[in-house]
Amino acid sequence: MWNVQKMRISGLASGMDTDMMVQNLMRAERIPLDRLYQQKQLIEWRRDAYRDITNTLRVFKEEYMDVLKSDTNMLSPNYFKKFTSTVTDELGKESNAVEVSGSAGAIEEELKVQVGQLAQANIWVGSSDGDKKITKEDLGKTLGELDGFKEFFAEGADPFQFTINKAQFKDFTKDTTLKELMAKVNGDEKANVTMRFNEITNIMEIIGKKTGADNTIRFSEGEPNSNALTTALGLTERQVAQDAKVIINETVTGISSNQFTRNGITYKLNHTTGTETVTETVTVSLRQDVDTAVDNIKTVTVSLRQDVDTAVDNIKTVVEEYNKIVDLLNTKVSEKYNKNFPPLTQEQREAMDTKDIEKWEEKAKTGLLTRDSLLQGILQDMRRSLSDPVDGVAPIAYLRQIGIDTSRDYKNGSGKLVITDERKLREALVNDPDGIVRIFTKTSDKSYSRSMPKEGRQERYNEQGLMHRLSDIINDNISTFLDANGNPGKLITKAGLENTRFVDQHQLNDDMKRLSRRMDDLERNLIRKENAYYSRFAAMEKALAQMQNQASSLLAQLGMGN
């Protein structure tokens, strides 16, 4: 390194501060190196700025385009078509026998629901007394220590084995603990049961994981339904597996689960509406939260109606979150770069305090992405995606048809969405809710791929709803999956991303590596130059010392010395 400190003793003959003179000479020599350092620092800051945008897009996608987050998934039709639900009995009182929710596939309709029987799982329980009763302390004991299992470990007997729902369990020895046996049963997906010690009843239980008459636990192929495990534990059937029995608008339905969906309406059965027979009828009502329908919400009329208020709020969220991204990109591509605040050199940083450095760098980092072509391309794609019509969704093919338009306010950032007429939006949600769903969430038959031919991508783009178009644009830029050419998304290719394999694999890192190599070469040259300067001053000091010695000798010969 050119700035490595060395122990030097100089100026003895001349009296000059040669160290300071060399430092001043080297300060001029270091100017090219300082410029390269500043260039590298600018690239690092640009990298970080790109990554901030990438992370903003990632957070948006994870929050609003995740199929696991049903309440906020903007790609789902259910986000734009909402329902409220009420359940009342024949007396008009609220009932919790049935919970109801409507998805985008539902329509406003009237229903009568009667629940005669709940679906239930098969349950077998162990002996409650006698030698085969299991206590909590027995769970840690070996099978050979438990009375119910001892007969299976007679001298010469095979290892203990059994089947549950055709899942085979074998090779249990007398040294196997009951807890270990239970763990193997519970970990087997084919068995599909839960084996546990009920700490309330103090009895062993084996419970089917699925409800419904077709999910009876089978311990053997035929009858009796028993095997070595049922014998050892004294298992008997406590609860049979059965289907739920429901009547919806006088149509009898038998179903294996207490939660099911019919015609876009999800029913959750909590308890029966009668005793042995279906005698109590409950009213299921999904109602729209619009001002004109407030009085109807409390009616006992059985109906399903849209929740327009929630749908409007969700669309407002779309507008707000989209505008945040547009505002960020607009700011980055339009802010001016101040050339009066270049990155500080190491020498400059050492001469400043921390606060001054922070203020300087805040100004130095402004405008690093001004007029950036990559960001301008993303902005253009986003604006176009929400302004172009969607094929096959008539009569609603443009946002402006439902009271939403694009701002042309260049002072505050063009391209933002504006709800210009909320009443128009509400009317569209009431009169054509499926049209709203289609313009936002319609999907194309063509699967997404960054390697698609241009014609295929355009066809997919034309067919896609607005949210799916936006999702494709985000994926084009932040995807960490490689395309056919071996490249990730555009922003990742440009600046990489932390905590991924692309943290150092990106274009800006290649630029920084080239600068680092040039800086290394310059540093080596600076070391040579510094050494050369010191060598010259050393030679001068040596010559001066010799001259002084000669002068002293001459003066001594002339009798003029002291």
Side-chain angles (χ1 to χ4, degrees):
M1 299 288 286
W2 56 266
N3 59 350
V4 173
Q5 299 296 318
K6 296 182 179 181
M7 180 65 69
R8 302 178 189 274
I9 300 175
S10 57
L12 295 178
S14 65
M16 293 188 296
D17 188 351
T18 54
D19 279 336
M20 181 60 69
M21 296 176 68
V22 171
Q23 288 179 20
N24 290 334
L25 290 169
M26 291 304 298
R27 186 173 288 111
E29 298 285 356
R30 285 198 300 269
I31 290 176
L33 180 61
D34 289 339
R35 288 174 178 169
L36 290 180
Y37 170 82
Q38 290 173 317
Q39 290 177 34
K40 184 179 178 183
Q41 183 64 76
L42 285 173
I43 294 175
E44 290 179 355
W45 286 344
R46 291 184 66 214
R47 176 202 63 193
D48 294 342
Y50 280 122
R51 289 181 177 181
D52 287 343
I53 293 170
T54 297
N55 285 322
T56 297
L57 295 177
R58 287 184 71 185
V59 169
F60 175 83
K61 184 172 177 60
E62 290 169 359
E63 182 64 29
Y64 296 105
M65 294 182 173
D66 186 343
V67 295
L68 299 179
K69 297 180 179 180
S70 57
D71 291 339
T72 60
N73 182 18
M74 295 178 178
L75 301 177
S76 170
N78 296 335
Y79 185 81
F80 297 94
K81 188 177 180 183
K82 308 294 288 186
F83 290 88
T84 57
S85 64
T86 58
V87 180
T88 57
D89 59 23
E90 290 180 336
L91 300 177
K93 296 181 179 180
E94 184 177 347
S95 171
N96 64 354
V98 183
E99 295 178 33
V100 182
S101 60
S103 68
I107 60 174
E108 296 188 345
E109 60 178 324
E110 295 186 351
L111 297 168
K112 295 286 184 179
V113 178
Q114 297 167 288
V115 182
Q117 175 178 292
L118 293 181
Q120 61 185 27
N122 194 194
I123 300 178
W124 289 67
V125 297
S127 177
S128 60
D129 55 29
D131 294 341
K132 295 182 180 181
K133 175 178 172 56
I134 299 296
T135 66
K136 187 174 182 180
E137 290 72 23
D138 291 335
L139 300 181
K141 293 182 180 180
T142 64
L143 301 185
E145 295 176 308
L146 301 174
D147 291 339
F149 290 86
K150 285 181 179 179
E151 63 180 282
F152 295 97
F153 295 105
E155 187 175 350
D158 293 331
F160 187 75
Q161 53 191 349
F162 55 89
T163 61
I164 300 178
N165 292 331
K166 296 184 178 181
Q168 295 185 345
F169 299 92
K170 53 186 179 179
D171 299 332
F172 295 113
T173 70
K174 64 180 180 180
D175 296 323
T176 303
T177 66
L178 181 56
K179 186 178 291 185
E180 290 171 340
L181 182 149
M182 293 168 63
K184 286 193 175 183
V185 170
N186 291 331
D188 194 296
E189 293 183 1
K190 187 176 181 180
N192 204 29
V193 297
T194 297
M195 185 176 182
R196 71 178 186 179
F197 180 79
N198 190 321
E199 295 181 358
I200 297 175
T201 61
N202 291 317
I203 293 176
M204 286 296 299
E205 294 178 339
I206 296 181
I207 307 170
K209 290 184 178 180
K210 290 184 177 181
T211 59
D214 292 336
N215 293 304
T216 296
I217 301 172
R218 297 302 306 176
F219 295 101
S220 63
E221 295 290 341
E223 295 297 336
N225 186 15
S226 62
N227 59 21
L229 184 64
T230 62
T231 301
L233 294 175
L235 292 173
T236 56
E237 190 174 33
R238 169 168 291 182
Q239 177 175 289
V240 299
Q242 68 179 26
D243 291 338
K245 297 296 176 64
V246 188
I247 299 176
I248 302 176
N249 282 356
E250 300 183 354
T251 300
V252 179
T253 300
I255 191 163
S256 63
S257 173
N258 290 318
Q259 183 167 318
F260 58 94
T261 301
R262 294 290 184 273
N263 299 326
I265 303 170
T266 297
Y267 302 82
K268 182 182 178 183
L269 311 180
N270 295 322
H271 60 79
T272 61
T273 55
T275 54
E276 295 181 356
T277 59
V278 178
T279 58
E280 178 190 352
T281 300
V282 298
T283 298
V284 178
S285 175
L286 296 184
R287 299 197 172 280
Q288 186 178 28
D289 287 343
V290 282
D291 294 340
T292 57
V294 169
D295 293 336
N296 293 331
I297 291 177
K298 298 180 180 179
T299 184
V300 297
T301 302
V302 181
S303 62
L304 300 173
R305 300 204 183 278
Q306 285 179 266
D307 181 357
V308 174
D309 284 346
T310 300
V312 169
D313 288 341
N314 285 352
I315 292 174
K316 287 181 178 179
T317 299
V318 172
V319 171
E320 291 169 1
E321 296 302 323
Y322 171 85
N323 285 346
K324 288 179 183 177
I325 297 174
V326 170
D327 189 53
L328 172 64
L329 295 176
N330 271 329
T331 298
K332 293 299 181 182
V333 300
S334 61
E335 61 184 5
K336 295 181 179 180
Y337 177 65
N338 194 335
K339 295 181 179 180
N340 295 322
F341 291 89
L344 296 169
T345 65
Q346 188 63 34
E347 186 177 1
Q348 290 170 330
R349 293 175 67 89
E350 291 173 356
M352 299 170 65
D353 60 36
T354 303
K355 290 185 178 180
D356 289 337
I357 292 174
E358 290 175 355
K359 291 178 181 179
W360 183 284
E361 290 190 345
E362 181 180 355
K363 295 179 180 180
K365 292 178 181 180
T366 302
L368 295 178
L369 300 179
T370 183
R371 293 190 296 276
D372 181 84
S373 60
L374 176 55
L375 300 189
Q376 287 178 327
I378 297 174
L379 262 176
Q380 182 179 355
D381 290 343
M382 290 178 63
R383 293 167 179 165
R384 186 169 65 90
S385 70
L386 299 190
S387 59
D388 288 346
V390 179
D391 289 352
V393 297
I396 301 176
Y398 295 92
L399 283 178
R400 61 175 177 270
Q401 293 176 274
I402 58 174
I404 303 174
D405 208 344
T406 302
S407 170
R408 292 171 177 77
D409 182 0
Y410 290 95
K411 182 178 180 180
N412 296 317
S414 63
K416 292 184 180 181
L417 291 178
V418 179
I419 298 179
T420 57
D421 191 339
E422 185 172 325
R423 176 175 293 183
K424 192 174 184 180
L425 174 60
R426 287 178 172 270
E427 289 175 353
L429 284 166
V430 172
N431 298 326
D432 190 6
D434 292 331
I436 299 291
V437 168
R438 287 192 296 270
I439 191 173
F440 281 106
T441 67
K442 181 176 179 287
T443 58
S444 171
D445 293 335
K446 293 186 175 296
S447 299
Y448 171 79
S449 171
R450 300 200 318 278
S451 303
M452 288 177 66
K454 184 177 180 179
E455 295 78 10
R457 286 182 65 87
Q458 186 61 47
E459 184 177 347
R460 173 180 167 84
Y461 173 86
N462 293 339
E463 296 172 352
Q464 291 279 81
L466 305 183
M467 292 298 98
H468 286 280
R469 287 179 179 177
L470 191 58
S471 176
D472 285 359
I473 293 169
I474 293 175
N475 285 332
D476 286 345
N477 288 279
I478 72 169
S479 175
T480 55
F481 294 103
L482 303 182
D483 61 17
N485 297 319
N487 297 318
K490 296 175 184 177
L491 282 169
I492 307 298
T493 298
K494 185 72 174 180
L497 190 63
E498 305 94 330
N499 302 319
T500 69
R501 57 176 168 159
F502 303 105
V503 63
D504 292 322
Q505 299 178 30
H506 51 88
Q507 293 173 355
L508 293 182
N509 193 54
D510 293 340
D511 295 341
M512 287 189 287
K513 285 181 178 179
R514 283 192 289 270
L515 284 175
S516 293
R517 288 193 292 269
R518 292 176 60 189
M519 291 169 68
D520 289 342
D521 291 340
L522 279 177
E523 286 178 344
R524 284 190 289 269
N525 289 334
L526 287 172
I527 291 173
R528 287 193 292 268
K529 286 188 177 182
E530 185 180 55
N531 290 335
Y533 281 132
Y534 274 111
S535 295
R536 291 176 185 176
F537 279 109
M540 180 191 72
E541 292 289 335
K542 183 178 180 180
L544 288 174
Q546 290 175 347
M547 289 176 61
Q548 289 174 357
N549 288 336
Q550 289 174 358
S552 297
S553 177
L554 180 59
L555 291 173
Q557 291 175 10
L558 296 176
M560 300 175 63
N562 293 328

